[in-house]
C-alpha cells in the first residue's frame, strides 16, 4: 500500500499535517533472526500431539501451539522433556494425586550458549528435520523434544508479530479508503450540469464520463473495504508499545514487540539510547583532537582515529558490504522557543514539514516510551525516514533508527538518533543501506524565544553509484550532513517568525493590505514549495524514465494522476526534471532566476513581454527570501504567477506556478487558500562541492578528482496534460515538457554567457 500524500497544509496549527500512513510490510521479512532474548524461556504443555503439530506442518495450524514467555520474573524450572527422561517408578498413590491436579505448565530456561546455537540454525532452517534436531540436541545436551518445542515456539512468535503489524497496516489502509470513498461521494453529490449549472441526480441517466469513472472507482473501493474488514476480523488488533503499566496485556504485547524487532528487551534498549546520549554530548562539545577545523574551508572535520580510541568503536562492517563514514558538526541560533522545537522533532509529521527538502518519507513505526507529558522528556520511538536530495539523480537513503528525547538540565535538551543492529537483521536487506551512529542535536534555551542548536550527524552508509554531477557533494558528506540540516532548520524557523509577525514593516509587505491576506499568501507559497520538493526527488513515490532531448540534455520524466486532491489540478500530470552544471556562482545564478525584471530572458511563457511585481512579501532577513506575485501581460491575455524564492547557507530555490487571477485575489483579501489548485515548477541551486574536503580524517588518503567549481542547477517543470484522470500519457505531452526544459536551459546559458563550446 502507498503513503498518504501530504499536500494540504494546516489551517490552524502551522506545523500540523494529515496523518502519514506508511506501508512497512517488508520490515518483518526474514524475521527469523529476531529476539534471542525472547527465546530464553520455553513453555511446553500437554503431550507431543498438542504441541503445535509436526515440524513440517508449521506452527500456526493448531490452537494449542506452545508459546514463548520472555518475562524476567519467571524462575527456572525443569522442562517437560526433562521429566520424560526421569524414572517413572512413583507409587500408585502419587499417580492418583497427579491425575486429580490440573495440568501444569513446565518451564525450562535455556542457557545463552544453547539459545545462540539454536538461533543460528533457525536463521538457516526454521523447519529443521529430525536428523538436524537429533544432531543439535546431542551438541547442546538437550532432549530432541526440547529442541523441537523451541523451534515451534520460535515460529509461533514470529507469526504473531507479523499478524499484529499486518493488522495495523490494514487498519490504516481501511481508513484511507474510507476517506477516498467519502471524497468521491461528495464529488458525485456536488456534480452539476455544465450547461445550466443545476445539480444532477442519479435518475438523470446521463452522467458525464468523469462521473461514471468516479462511480466505478467507488464500487472498487467498497469491495476493497469489505475485503479489508474480513481480513481485520480474523486478527484482533494488538496493543502498541508503551511505558505505562496500565494494562498487563498491553505491556506483554509491547514486550513481544521489543524482543521481536530489536532482539532486545526494553532495559537494554534504554541502556543503548542513554549511551548514545553520552556520546552525542561528547561529540557536540569536544574540541581538538577529536574535531579539527579545516584551514581551507573552515568546517570541522572528525578525526576518526581519535574517535575510535575515545569511544572504543568496534568494526561494525563485518559481514556487510563496504561502507563509508560521514561525520559533521554544525551549530547556530534559531528563532523558535524550546518546547515547540522539541515537539517538532518528536512528531513525525512536523519533523517532515520542518525539513521538506531533505525528508521525503517518515513514519513512527512504534512508540516504545511516551515520555512525560507535555514536554516528551524520556520519550523513545522507533522511526523510519527516507532522505532525499532535490534531484532524481541522487538515490534516496532509507534509515531505521530509535529517537530519544531527554532533558539534560533545566535549559538543555538532547534529541538523539541511533540505529540498532538487531533491527537491520530483521528488515529486508535491500532497505538497509544507511544506519545512524549516535547523531542528533543538543538544544540550549536562550532568552527572547531563541535556542542554540549544536547538530551532529554521524552516518555509516553502504557505498553506491552516484551521478558524476553530484559525486563530490555526496561523497564529501555535505549532501546529508549537519550543515544541510542546520541551514534548513534556521531557514524554516525564520520563515515561521515572519509568518507569525504582526508588526512587519511596510517595505517588507507591499501589495497586500491586511495581515490575514499576508498569512494566506505565505501559506499558499509554503504549500507550493512543499509540493515542489515532494515532486522532484528520487523517492519511491515516483518512477523516473530517462529521455534525451533534441539538444542533448538528459531529462527524467514521471507522471501521476490526481483524482481528488483539491490542492492540485485534477487529471494527468507530467513532471520533467534535468540537472546540469554551470560555471557560475550559486549566488549569481539565484539572483538572476528570482529577479522578475529578468524573467523574460529565460521564461518562454512570458513571450519576451515585460513582467511586473504586484506584491512582495518578505519571509526572512535575507532579501532573497521572499514571496512575490508577478503579472505577465501579452497582447492576448494576462497571467499571474506566484513565486517563492528561498536561500540559506546550503542551497537556494526558486519555485513558481501560474495561478487563477480571481482565486489569488480572494487569497490576498485573507480567504482560505487550502483548496486553491496549484502546480509548481522551479529551480534548485547548489554549490558543486569544490570547496569540500573529506569530513573524516583517516590514516590513508584517497586521491581527489575535483575540477573547477560552479553551480549545480536542477530545473523542473510540471504540466497538466489532460484534465481527465482516466486519460493516458501521450508522447506529445512528454515532448512538450521536454521542449520547455530545453528552451529554458538554452536561454539561461545564453544570458549568463556559459553556453557549451
Amino acid at each position: 500500500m502507498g503513503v498518504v500524500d501530504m499536500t494540504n497544509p494546516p489551517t490552524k496549527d502551522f506545523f500540523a499535517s494529515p496523518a502519514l500512513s506508511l506501508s512497512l510490510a517488508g520490515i518483518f521479512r526474514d524475521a527469523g533472526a529476531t529476539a534471542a532474548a525472547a527465546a530464553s524461556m520455553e513453555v511446553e504443555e500437554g503431550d507431543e500431539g498438542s504441541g503445535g503439530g509436526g515440524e513440517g506442518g508449521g506452527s500456526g495450524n493448531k490452537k494449542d501451539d506452545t508459546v514463548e514467555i520472555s518475562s524476567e520474573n519467571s524462575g527456572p524450572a525443569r522442562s517437560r522433556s526433562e521429566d520424560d527422561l526421569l524414572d517413572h517408578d512413583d507409587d500408585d498413590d502419587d499417580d492418583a494425586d497427579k491425575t486429580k491436579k490440573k495440568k501444569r505448565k513446565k518451564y525450562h530456561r535455556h542457557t545463552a550458549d544453547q539459545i545462540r546455537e539454536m538461533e543460528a540454525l533457525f536463521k538457516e532452517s526454521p523447519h529443521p528435520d529430525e536428523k538436524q534436531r537429533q544432531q543439535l540436541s546431542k551438541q547442546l545436551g538437550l532432549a530432541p523434544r526440547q529442541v523441537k518445542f523451541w523451534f515451534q515456539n520460535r515460529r509461533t512468535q514470529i507469526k504473531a508479530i507479523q499478524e499484529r503489524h499486518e493488522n495495523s497496516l490494514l487498519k490504516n489502509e481501511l481508513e484511507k479508503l474510507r476517506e477516498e470513498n467519502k471524497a468521491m461521494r461528495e464529488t458525485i453529490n456536488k456534480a452539476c450540469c455544465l450547461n445550466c449549472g443545476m445539480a444532477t441526480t442519479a435518475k438523470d441517466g446521463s452522467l458525464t464520463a468523469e462521473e461514471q469513472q468516479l462511480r466505478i472507482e467507488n464500487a472498487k473501493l467498497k469491495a476493497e473495504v469489505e475485503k479489508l474488514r474480513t481480513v481485520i476480523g480474523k486478527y484482533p488488533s494488538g496493543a502498541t508499545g508503551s511505558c505505562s503499566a496500565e494494562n498487563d496485556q498491553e505491556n506483554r504485547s509491547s514486550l513481544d514487540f521489543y524482543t521481536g524487532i530489536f532482539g532486545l528487551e526494553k532495559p537494554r534498549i534504554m541502556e543503548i539510547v542513554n549511551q548514545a546520549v553520552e556520546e552525542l554530548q561528547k561529540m557536540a562539545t569536544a574540541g581538538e583532537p577529536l574535531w579539527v577545523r579545516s584551514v581551507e574551508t573552515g568546517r570541522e572535520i572528525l578525526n576518526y582515529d581519535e574517535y575510535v580510541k575515545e569511544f572504543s568503536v568496534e568494526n561494525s562492517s563485518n559481514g556487510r558490504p563496504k561502507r563509508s563514514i560521514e561525520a559533521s558538526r554544525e551549530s547556530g541560533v534559531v528563532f523558535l522557543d524550546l518546547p515547540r522545537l522539541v515537539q517538532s522533532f518528536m512528531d513525525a509529521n512536523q519533523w517532515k514539514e520542518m525539513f521538506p527538502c531533505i525528508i521525503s518519507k517518515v513514519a513512527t513505526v512504534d512508540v516504545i516510551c511516551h515520555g512525560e507529558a507535555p514536554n516528551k522528556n524520556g520519550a523513545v520511538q522507533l522511526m523510519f525516514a527516507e532522505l532525499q536530495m532535490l534531484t532524481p539523480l541522487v538515490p534516496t537513503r532509507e534509515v531505521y533508527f530509535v529517537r530519544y528525547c531527554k532533558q539534560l538540565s533545566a535549559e538543555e535538551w538532547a534529541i538523539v538518533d541511533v540505529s540498532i543492529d538487531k533491527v537491520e537483521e530483521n528488515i529486508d536487506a535491500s532497505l538497509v543501506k544507511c544506519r545512524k551512529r549516535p547523531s542528533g542535536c543538543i538544544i540550549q534555551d536562550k532568552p527572547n524565544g531563541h535556542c542554540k542548536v549544536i547538530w551532529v550527524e554521524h552516518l555509516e552508509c553502504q557505498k553506491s553509484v552516484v551521478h558524476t554531477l553530484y559525486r563530490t557533494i555526496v561523497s564529501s558528506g555535505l549532501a546529508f550532513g549537519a550543515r544541510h540540516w542546520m541551514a534548513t532548520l534556521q531557514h524554516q524557523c525564520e520563515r515561521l517568525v515572519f509568518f507569525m509577525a504582526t508588526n512587519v514593516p511596510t517595505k517588507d509587505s507591499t501589495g497586500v493590505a491586511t495581515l490575514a491576506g499576508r498569512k494566506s499568501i505565505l501559506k499558499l507559497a509554503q504549500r507550493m514549495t512543499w509540493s515542489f520538493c515532494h515532486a522532484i526527488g528520487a523517492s519511491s513515490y515516483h518512477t523516473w524514465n530517462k529521455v534525451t532531448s533534441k539538444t542533448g540534455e538528459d531529462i527524467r520524466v514521471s507522471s501521476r494522476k490526481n483524482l481528488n486532491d483539491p490542492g492540485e489540478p485534477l487529471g494527468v500530470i507530467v513532471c520533467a526534471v534535468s540537472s546540469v552544471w554551470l560555471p557560475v556562482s550559486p549566488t549569481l545564478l539565484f539572483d538572476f532566476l528570482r529577479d522578475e525584471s529578468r524573467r523574460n530572458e529565460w521564461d518562454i511563457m512570458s513571450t519576451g513581454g515585460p513582467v511586473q511585481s504586484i506584491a512582495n512579501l518578505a519571509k526572512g532577513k535575507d532579501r532573497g527570501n521572499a514571496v512575490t506575485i508577478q503579472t505577465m501581460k501579452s497582447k492576448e491575455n494576462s497571467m499571474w504567477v506566484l513565486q517563492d524564492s528561498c536561500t540559506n547557507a546550503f542551497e537556494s530555490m526558486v519555485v513558481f506556478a501560474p495561478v487563477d487571477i480571481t482565486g489569488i485575489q480572494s487569497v490576498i483579501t485573507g480567504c482560505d487558500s487550502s483548496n486553491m489548485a496549484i502546480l509548481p515548477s522551479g529551480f534548485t541551486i547548489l554549490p558543486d562541492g569544490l570547496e569540500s574536503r573529506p569530513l573524516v580524517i583517516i590514516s590513508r588518503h584517497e586521491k581527489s578528482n575535483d575540477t573547477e567549481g560552479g553551480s549545480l542547477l536542477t530545473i523542473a517543470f510540471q504540466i497538466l496534460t489532460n484534465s481527465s484522470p482516466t486519460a493516458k500519457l501521450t508522447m506529445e505531452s512528454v515532448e512538450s515538457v521536454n521542449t520547455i526544459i530545453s528552451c529554458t536551459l538554452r536561454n539561461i546559458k545564453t544570458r549568463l554567457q556559459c553556453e557549451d563550446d
Side-chain angles (χ1 to χ4, degrees):
M1 296 291 182
V3 180
V4 176
D5 187 14
M6 296 189 300
T7 56
N8 293 333
T11 57
K12 184 176 181 179
D13 188 347
F14 185 74
F15 285 108
S17 66
L20 176 67
S21 173
L22 180 63
S23 174
L24 297 173
I27 189 173
F28 299 104
R29 201 173 304 153
D30 301 327
T34 59
S40 61
M41 186 174 291
E42 178 179 306
V43 179
E44 302 174 12
E45 181 175 357
D47 54 18
E48 185 173 355
S50 63
E55 283 294 317
S59 60
N61 298 333
K62 292 194 176 183
K63 199 170 183 179
D64 295 332
D65 282 352
T66 56
V67 296
E68 294 187 23
I69 300 297
S70 51
S71 172
E72 290 294 327
N73 299 326
S74 301
R78 293 183 304 177
S79 69
R80 173 75 182 220
S81 51
E82 285 179 330
D83 292 338
D84 291 342
L85 298 177
L86 297 177
D87 293 334
H88 297 283
D89 296 332
D90 300 303
D91 297 336
D92 294 339
D93 293 341
D94 294 337
D95 292 338
D97 292 339
K98 287 183 179 180
T99 57
K100 294 179 180 179
K101 294 181 179 179
K102 292 184 178 179
K103 196 178 298 181
R104 292 183 179 179
K105 296 180 180 179
K106 303 293 183 176
Y107 298 93
H108 172 76
R109 183 182 291 276
H110 297 301
T111 65
D113 292 337
Q114 290 172 337
I115 294 172
R116 191 180 303 111
E117 292 297 328
M118 288 189 286
E119 283 285 353
L121 179 58
F122 188 87
K123 292 179 181 179
E124 299 176 1
S125 175
H127 294 269
D129 55 28
E130 186 176 356
K131 183 178 179 181
Q132 289 175 307
R133 295 199 303 270
Q134 290 285 353
Q135 183 179 357
L136 186 61
S137 64
K138 291 179 181 179
Q139 179 182 346
L140 301 179
L142 297 173
R145 287 190 65 210
Q146 289 180 280
V147 176
K148 175 182 177 180
F149 275 115
W150 188 91
F151 276 87
Q152 287 178 346
N153 294 345
R154 197 75 188 85
R155 291 192 300 270
T156 301
Q157 184 197 37
I158 294 299
K159 183 175 180 181
I161 293 172
Q162 290 174 332
E163 290 176 350
R164 192 156 55 243
H165 287 271
E166 286 172 1
N167 175 38
S168 177
L169 292 175
L170 288 171
K171 288 176 65 179
N172 291 337
E173 292 302 327
L174 176 58
E175 291 302 320
K176 179 183 175 182
L177 289 171
R178 283 175 175 168
E179 292 177 2
E180 293 178 354
N181 193 346
K182 180 180 178 182
M184 288 187 174
R185 286 178 179 272
E186 292 176 353
T187 301
I188 293 174
N189 292 335
K190 294 178 181 178
C192 62
C193 177
L194 298 178
N195 296 323
C196 65
M198 296 298 291
T200 59
T201 64
K203 297 180 180 180
D204 290 343
S206 56
L207 299 176
T208 65
E210 184 176 353
E211 289 172 335
Q212 292 176 353
Q213 181 62 28
L214 287 172
R215 296 199 172 199
I216 293 173
E217 294 291 337
N218 193 17
K220 291 180 179 178
L221 287 172
K222 284 182 178 179
E224 188 68 18
V225 167
E226 292 303 321
K227 179 180 177 182
L228 290 174
R229 282 175 176 167
T230 303
V231 174
I232 290 175
K234 296 179 181 178
Y235 306 114
S237 59
T240 57
S242 172
C243 280
S244 63
E246 297 177 359
N247 188 292
D248 294 338
Q249 180 63 34
E250 180 176 345
N251 288 342
R252 189 169 70 176
S253 297
S254 299
L255 187 58
D256 290 343
F257 181 83
Y258 303 144
T259 55
I261 300 302
F262 297 103
L264 303 168
E265 293 188 355
K266 200 182 83 172
R268 177 55 181 157
I269 298 172
M270 299 305 299
E271 181 182 347
I272 291 174
V273 295
N274 279 305
Q275 290 174 352
V277 169
E278 294 178 3
E279 179 173 326
L280 177 64
Q281 286 182 276
K282 292 181 181 178
M283 292 281 283
T285 57
E288 295 186 2
L290 185 62
W291 292 95
V292 180
R293 187 171 294 277
S294 170
V295 178
E296 299 170 329
T297 65
R299 291 187 291 107
E300 291 183 306
I301 305 173
L302 178 66
N303 186 337
Y304 191 71
D305 295 333
E306 191 67 27
Y307 170 79
V308 172
K309 295 178 184 178
E310 175 70 22
F311 298 103
S312 303
V313 178
E314 299 178 359
N315 185 9
S316 59
S317 61
N318 290 337
R320 296 192 180 120
K322 190 174 182 181
R323 296 189 172 217
S324 60
I325 304 297
E326 298 176 8
S328 55
R329 182 172 71 175
E330 195 76 18
S331 62
V333 175
V334 299
F335 297 92
L336 196 65
D337 60 279
L338 190 146
R340 195 165 189 177
L341 184 58
V342 171
Q343 175 64 26
S344 68
F345 281 100
M346 300 310 295
D347 183 280
N349 292 328
Q350 292 185 22
W351 187 47
K352 181 182 178 182
E353 291 174 3
M354 185 70 83
F355 301 95
C357 56
I358 307 177
I359 303 171
S360 55
K361 288 182 183 178
V362 66
T364 300
V365 182
D366 194 73
V367 177
I368 302 169
C369 181
H370 289 283
E372 300 173 2
N375 55 20
K376 296 288 185 179
N377 181 30
V380 183
Q381 53 198 37
L382 173 63
M383 301 185 72
F384 163 83
E386 182 186 66
L387 310 180
Q388 67 171 2
M389 289 191 68
L390 296 180
T391 173
L393 300 184
V394 178
T396 57
R397 292 183 174 182
E398 294 159 324
V399 56
Y400 291 83
F401 58 92
V402 175
R403 173 161 290 179
Y404 180 36
C405 174
K406 184 176 182 180
Q407 184 175 7
L408 304 177
S409 65
E411 298 180 348
E412 189 173 63
W413 289 68
I415 306 293
V416 62
D417 300 338
V418 60
S419 295
I420 295 182
D421 291 335
K422 287 290 184 181
V423 176
E424 297 186 2
E425 296 177 6
N426 298 328
I427 300 172
D428 188 346
S430 63
L431 298 178
V432 186
K433 296 180 180 178
C434 183
R435 62 188 302 273
K436 284 199 172 193
R437 294 185 177 184
S439 305
C441 53
I442 303 296
I443 306 173
Q444 300 171 357
D445 196 12
K446 298 295 181 181
N448 300 325
H450 292 58
C451 288
K452 180 182 179 182
V453 178
I454 306 175
W455 198 297
V456 175
E457 200 66 23
H458 197 177
L459 302 172
E460 179 182 330
C461 300
Q462 179 179 326
K463 291 189 175 181
S464 59
V465 178
V466 179
H467 194 280
T468 53
L469 281 175
Y470 292 89
R471 189 168 298 164
T472 300
I473 196 171
V474 171
S475 62
S476 66
L478 285 174
F480 300 97
R483 181 184 177 190
H484 192 181
W485 290 96
M486 192 69 217
T488 304
L489 178 63
Q490 289 178 310
H491 172 74
Q492 292 293 332
C493 290
E494 186 178 70
R495 184 171 191 155
L496 177 59
V497 169
F498 273 72
F499 174 81
M500 300 299 295
T502 57
N503 56 344
V504 181
T506 305
K507 65 182 180 66
D508 292 332
S509 182
T510 60
V512 180
T514 64
L515 183 62
R518 173 185 169 83
K519 287 189 175 183
S520 293
I521 292 293
L522 291 179
K523 277 186 178 181
L524 179 60
Q526 184 173 52
R527 174 163 66 87
M528 177 179 68
T529 301
W530 282 346
S531 176
F532 179 76
C533 294
H534 179 80
I536 69 172
S539 171
S540 55
Y541 284 126
H542 316 298
T543 300
W544 295 101
N545 298 306
K546 180 180 177 181
V547 297
T548 303
S549 68
K550 296 178 181 179
T551 54
E553 291 91 358
D554 287 337
I555 300 176
R556 303 305 197 273
V557 178
S558 69
S559 64
R560 65 183 185 275
K561 295 182 179 181
N562 180 25
L563 296 176
N564 54 15
D565 181 6
E568 284 187 341
L570 298 180
V572 180
I573 299 172
V574 174
C575 178
V577 183
S578 182
S579 297
V580 296
W581 176 82
L582 297 177
V584 294
S585 71
T587 302
L588 177 63
L589 183 57
F590 173 66
D591 288 339
F592 169 73
L593 293 173
R594 73 178 182 85
D595 188 353
E596 68 272 7
S597 65
R598 303 190 66 180
R599 186 183 189 98
N600 56 9
E601 298 180 24
W602 58 263
D603 190 351
I604 63 175
M605 303 301 294
S606 67
T607 63
V611 179
Q612 296 179 341
S613 176
I614 59 177
N616 190 312
L617 306 179
K619 58 185 182 65
K621 293 185 295 183
D622 191 296
R623 61 188 178 89
N625 289 314
V627 175
T628 60
I629 301 175
Q630 304 169 3
T631 177
M632 294 186 288
K633 296 182 179 180
S634 63
K635 295 180 180 179
E636 299 178 356
N637 54 17
S638 177
M639 180 173 67
W640 286 22
V641 173
L642 178 67
Q643 177 176 293
D644 185 12
S645 57
C646 316
T647 185
N648 57 49
F650 182 81
E651 65 187 341
S652 302
M653 280 191 292
V654 178
V655 184
F656 56 89
V659 292
D660 176 68
I661 296 178
T662 304
I664 197 68
Q665 287 175 338
S666 67
V667 174
I668 291 176
T669 62
C671 294
D672 182 27
S673 63
S674 58
N675 289 325
M676 184 173 180
I678 195 165
L679 191 61
S681 301
F683 309 93
T684 68
I685 305 166
L686 285 172
D688 63 358
L690 176 66
E691 82 287 354
S692 64
R693 294 294 183 269
L695 293 185
V696 173
I697 298 177
I698 56 177
S699 301
R700 56 186 178 81
H701 299 281
E702 297 181 358
K703 184 178 179 181
S704 175
N705 295 321
D706 289 337
T707 58
E708 290 297 324
S711 299
L712 297 175
L713 172 67
T714 296
I715 175 173
F717 278 91
Q718 298 189 94
I719 62 172
L720 180 69
T721 63
N722 198 306
S723 58
S724 174
T726 60
K728 294 184 179 179
L729 181 64
T730 62
M731 285 304 300
E732 289 78 6
S733 303
V734 176
E735 287 295 332
S736 177
V737 73
N738 286 354
T739 300
I740 296 175
I741 284 188
S742 299
C743 294
T744 304
L745 279 176
R746 184 175 65 249
N747 291 343
I748 292 173
K749 291 179 180 180
T750 301
R751 294 299 179 179
L752 296 178
Q753 300 179 352
C754 53
E755 294 181 279
D756 298 332
D757 296 332

